Amino acid sequence: MSFRVTARGAELFSGLVAPRVEPGAESSGSEWMRFLRDRVREKHIGAQEVVTVYVADPHGTVNAVVAVPVDSPSDVAVGDVFISIPTGVYAVFTPSGSLADPIEDVWAQVDECALSGTIFRAYKEELEVVTNSGEVELFISIVL
C-alpha cells in the first residue's frame, strides 16, 4: 500500500449521474457504473479518460457523476450534467497489483489506510480516473 499526496486545481466535468451510491469497489465495479462509463465514452469519443466524481449532497447521500473533463460550461454535451470541483488536497492511489481488479485494488488500499489512521478522509469530492487503456488512479480528499 502506497500513495502520494497532491493538490488538484479546480476542474469542471460533464457527464451522467448515478444517484445514491456508496463510494467503493462494489459500486464502482457494478454493471450500472460500467454501463455509464461506456455511455460517456461513446458520447465523448476523443476523451482519454472517464472520471467518476463522488459528491455528497446536503442530506449525506453520495451521488456519482461519471464524466469527462471540460474547459467551460459551454462544452457540456446536451443531456449531460456538469459539476465544478474546487481545488483540494488528495491522497492518490494506484493499483499495487495485490488484487486482479485495479479498481478493487485502489479502493482496498483506501480502506486499509483509513482504518489504520494513515490518512484522514475529508469526505469531500473524490475522483476515480480510468483511462481508455485501463489505468486507474483514485483521488481521495484528505485532511492534513
Side-chain angles (χ1 to χ4, degrees), residues 46-107:
Q48 297 299 309
E49 62 188 24
V50 173
V51 180
T52 303
V53 182
Y54 294 94
V55 183
D57 68 17
H59 307 289
T61 302
V62 176
N63 299 299
V65 179
V66 181
V68 295
V70 294
D71 293 325
S72 74
S74 64
D75 296 330
V76 175
V78 173
D80 281 2
V81 299
F82 73 93
I83 184 167
S84 178
I85 304 300
T87 299
V89 177
Y90 298 87
V92 184
F93 294 85
T94 56
S96 64
S98 59
L99 296 172
D101 181 348
I103 292 175
E104 188 177 340
D105 188 321
V106 292
W107 282 105

Side-chain angles (χ1 to χ4, degrees), residues 8 11 13 40-41 47-51 67-69 129-132:
R8 277 180 81 112
E11 295 177 89
F13 295 92
V40 168
R41 281 189 187 99
Q48 297 299 309
E49 62 188 24
V50 173
V51 180
V68 295
V129 180
V130 180
T131 67
N132 291 345

Side-chain angles (χ1 to χ4, degrees), residues 15-16 22 25 37 40 64 67-68 93 105 109-110 123 125 132 140:
L16 305 171
E22 183 67 35
R37 282 193 290 270
V40 168
V68 295
F93 294 85
D105 188 321
Q109 291 180 60
V110 169
Y123 294 100
E125 297 84 4
N132 291 345
I140 298 296

